[in-house]
Amino acid sequence: MKIDVVSIFPGYFDALELSLLGKARQRGLIDLRVHDLRESAHDKHRTVDDTPTGGGAGMVMKPEPWGAALDAVLTADDAGDDPLVIFPSPAGDVFTQAMARELADESHLVFGCGRYEGIDQRVFDEYASRGRVRLVSIGDYVLNGGEVATIAMIEAIGRLVPGVVGNPESLVEESHEEDGLLEYPSYTKPATWRDRAVPEVLLSGNHAAITQWRQEQRVERTRRVRPELLPWALRGDTRGRHAADD
Ligand code: JET
């Protein structure tokens, strides 16, 4: 998978050299290239922002540097290249594990990291008219720019690219994969730590009992903290299914 990132703070993406994703890059599974938007700003001061037309607070990212940077990154070097451009934005579709799975099937992702009050709308309109563009939100809070949202998405997507995670079973076993329930609590040695014992069933050697206990823990945990994730049949109310389940 090829990933291009355009940002005025390329240093944020140094974190993606670490750990699993760093190894995937070394092994050639993920070809990540980070581009400094300022290098596409051609005036003397390399200006990337200006005041909002029509008035208002803050600054807006100018369209010309974005046009130059995205044109350079979208110059197809192979015939089958059908890139998807993603702008992290609180106004976007919410990023979920299902979206991460869809995006892991793409061959070329381009992330445009906005800052200030956002990017001039015509940049979005221009690239949407020429190809595929999505605004994507990682949640209902405001960040200072798209960089941290992009790192979160690249990590979630990258680990689903075939070969990046050594044992593909560890992907399927996790929360949100398969049945969408939260994960059961995990324990390791020692069997007692600060007077806190590991649940007895986990030391019993009874694998059927362990599997059943873990599934009960998953349902209870999900009911307690994220009841909206529970399939209606497990919700324990008598009102049946709701329109929101559809
Ligand atoms: C965000 C994403 O804050 C978030 O995204 C970053 C951000 C901050 C400020 C402006 C901005 O502009 C986006 C844009 O896109 C065309 O103009 C983006 C919060 N949840 N998810």
Side-chain angles (χ1 to χ4, degrees):
M1 174 187 277
K2 183 171 184 186
I3 303 177
D4 287 289
V5 176
V6 179
S7 162
I8 59 168
F9 293 122
Y12 264 100
F13 300 92
D14 291 354
L16 295 173
E17 279 161 34
L18 302 171
S19 186
L20 204 78
L21 249 42
K23 270 175 217 130
R25 289 175 72 184
Q26 282 170 11
R27 287 158 58 211
L29 295 168
I30 295 175
D31 175 13
L32 174 67
R33 298 176 197 201
V34 183
H35 311 271
D36 186 346
L37 178 69
R38 248 179 240 288
E39 288 178 12
S40 296
H42 298 306
D43 66 308
K44 193 174 76 180
H45 300 288
R46 308 212 153 219
T47 313
V48 295
D49 62 335
D50 205 337
T51 55
T53 303
M59 297 293 271
V60 174
M61 293 190 105
K62 294 167 64 57
E64 303 96 322
W66 276 105
L70 291 174
D71 284 351
V73 145
L74 295 173
T75 303
D77 40 28
D78 91 84
D81 191 29
D82 180 22
L84 174 63
V85 179
I86 296 172
F87 294 105
S89 165
D93 302 326
V94 177
F95 186 75
T96 60
Q97 190 64 25
M99 195 190 292
R101 274 192 296 262
E102 278 173 33
L103 297 178
D105 289 332
E106 296 283 343
S107 56
H108 187 188
L109 297 176
V110 177
F111 289 92
C113 302
R115 287 247 142 199
Y116 315 111
E117 303 310 309
I119 305 168
D120 187 302
Q121 178 65 30
R122 292 168 293 179
V123 174
F124 178 90
D125 298 342
E126 164 77 3
Y127 291 95
S129 76
R130 286 168 42 176
R132 296 183 298 144
V133 178
R134 291 185 78 164
L135 296 188
V136 180
S137 165
I138 62 161
D140 290 339
Y141 38 81
V142 178
L143 303 169
N144 282 331
E147 285 78 7
V148 166
T150 295
I151 290 170
M153 288 190 268
I154 291 175
E155 183 157 324
I157 296 161
R159 61 192 290 286
L160 300 178
V161 169
V164 171
V165 169
N167 176 9
E169 268 181 44
S170 65
L171 290 176
V172 183
E173 262 190 31
E174 277 166 42
S175 288
H176 299 290
E177 291 288 340
E178 208 93 311
D179 59 8
L181 298 184
L182 300 180
E183 200 45 280
Y184 52 78
S186 304
Y187 298 87
T188 184
K189 290 167 277 300
T192 301
W193 174 75
R194 297 189 180 177
D195 279 341
R196 297 168 187 278
V198 163
E200 219 172 84
V201 62
L202 298 178
L203 301 166
S204 69
N206 181 341
H207 294 292
I210 291 170
T211 300
Q212 191 191 330
W213 181 85
R214 284 177 167 167
Q215 194 59 19
E216 287 163 2
Q217 291 293 309
R218 298 185 67 210
V219 172
E220 267 326 295
R221 216 180 207 191
T222 308
R223 195 194 306 286
R224 221 180 316 121
V225 299
R226 299 292 303 280
E228 76 280 12
L229 295 180
L230 271 186
W232 65 273
L234 291 174
R235 239 173 251 175
D237 63 39
T238 51
R239 292 170 300 154
R241 50 204 307 283
H242 314 292
D245 299 329
D246 296 327

